[in-house]
């Protein structure tokens, strides 16, 4: 089986959206066989220092999702200290697929991110996407431009020099690196 040449939604409007949705649906099928995701709240802190937050999921904590970032104070003085974010992790019933979503539930972040990386351990990424604004109330997700981030087999991360410092959500769908017999 040939590996896909791209690991993310490449723009292109409705066709790319449908392709991404199809990939997610295939990766997590059948729908009734997806474990209830675990959601954990954490603080994203400004100050320019690199911080990390991670969670494990699956039997024996088989998979790990790690969010590493550095950010500076933001555009809203009331929000410039720290922000509440969430990480949700879930696996398919057979534990061969993992989803990791990292986001700010209030939508747009007011922090300026100097770097970010969301990585998975124990799995390879089949789909990864980064957003400058997360859906909130009547607003929709706003994806970063393709040139602002990259998706590898194990991480979704900023592209130095191209990333415009806005981040509010990351989504990863990954498949187990090897089947246990």
């Amino acid at each position: 089986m040939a590996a896909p040449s791209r690991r993310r939604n490449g723009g292109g409007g409705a066709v790319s959206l449908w392709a991404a949705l199809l990939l997610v649906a295939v990766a997590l099928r059948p729908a009734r066989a997806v474990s209830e995701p675990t959601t954990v709240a954490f603080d994203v802190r400004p100050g320019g220092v690199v911080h990390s937050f991670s969670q494990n999921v699956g039997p024996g904590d088989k998979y790990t999702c790690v969010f590493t970032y550095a950010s500076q104070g933001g555009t809203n003085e009331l929000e410039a200290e720290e922000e509440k974010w969430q990480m949700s992790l879930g696996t398919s019933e057979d534990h061969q697929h993992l989803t990791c979503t990292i986001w700010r539930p209030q939508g747009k972040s007011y922090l300026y991110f100097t770097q970010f990386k969301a990585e998975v351990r124990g799995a390879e990424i089949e789909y990864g996407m980064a957003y400058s604004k997360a859906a909130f109330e009547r607003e929709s997700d706003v994806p970063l431009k393709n040139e602002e981030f990259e998706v590898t087999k194990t991480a979704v991360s900023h592209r130095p020099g191209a990333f415009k410092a806005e981040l509010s959500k990351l989504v990863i769908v990954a498949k187990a690196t090897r089947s246990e017999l």
Side-chain angles (χ1 to χ4, degrees):
M1 182 168 126
S5 61
R6 297 192 67 169
R7 287 190 164 79
R8 67 175 160 171
N9 179 355
V15 173
S16 294
L17 175 62
W18 282 112
L21 291 173
L22 178 62
L23 176 61
V24 170
V26 167
L28 297 178
R29 78 174 183 276
R32 64 182 177 8
V34 176
S35 70
E36 187 66 29
T38 301
T39 301
V40 179
F42 66 100
D43 292 326
V44 169
R45 298 178 183 94
V49 177
V50 174
H51 294 280
S52 241
F53 180 80
S54 66
Q55 283 296 128
N56 300 314
V57 70
D61 289 338
K62 177 178 179 175
Y63 304 114
T64 303
C65 186
V66 182
F67 177 49
T68 304
Y69 68 91
S71 67
Q72 297 288 348
T75 57
N76 181 338
E77 290 302 316
L78 298 175
E79 301 270 351
E81 292 181 16
E82 60 186 35
E83 294 180 341
K84 299 289 184 194
W85 281 54
Q86 294 182 349
M87 179 183 284
S88 289
L89 295 167
T91 62
S92 58
E93 191 173 78
D94 65 1
H95 304 292
Q96 294 303 301
H97 289 90
L98 157 77
T99 60
C100 175
T101 305
I102 303 157
W103 82 101
R104 182 164 194 256
Q106 293 78 19
K108 185 167 177 47
S109 173
Y110 291 99
L111 298 175
Y112 295 112
F113 286 82
T114 55
Q115 66 182 50
F116 75 84
K117 181 177 185 180
E119 61 186 309
V120 292
R121 297 180 185 147
E124 286 189 0
I125 294 174
E126 292 187 333
Y127 172 82
M129 194 64 190
Y131 300 87
S132 61
K133 185 163 50 169
F136 181 66
E137 295 178 350
R138 289 190 264 164
E139 304 277 325
S140 298
D141 287 338
V142 176
L144 292 181
K145 292 180 178 164
N146 290 337
E147 60 269 13
E148 291 186 75
F149 71 104
E150 65 183 342
V151 181
T152 65
K153 288 182 179 183
T154 59
V156 176
S157 57
H158 76 287
R159 286 187 196 256
F163 174 55
K164 294 184 175 60
E166 294 184 48
L167 182 70
S168 294
K169 183 177 180 179
L170 294 156
V171 176
I172 293 174
V173 177
K175 185 175 182 178
T177 51
R178 60 182 177 273
S179 297
E180 295 177 14
L181 301 176

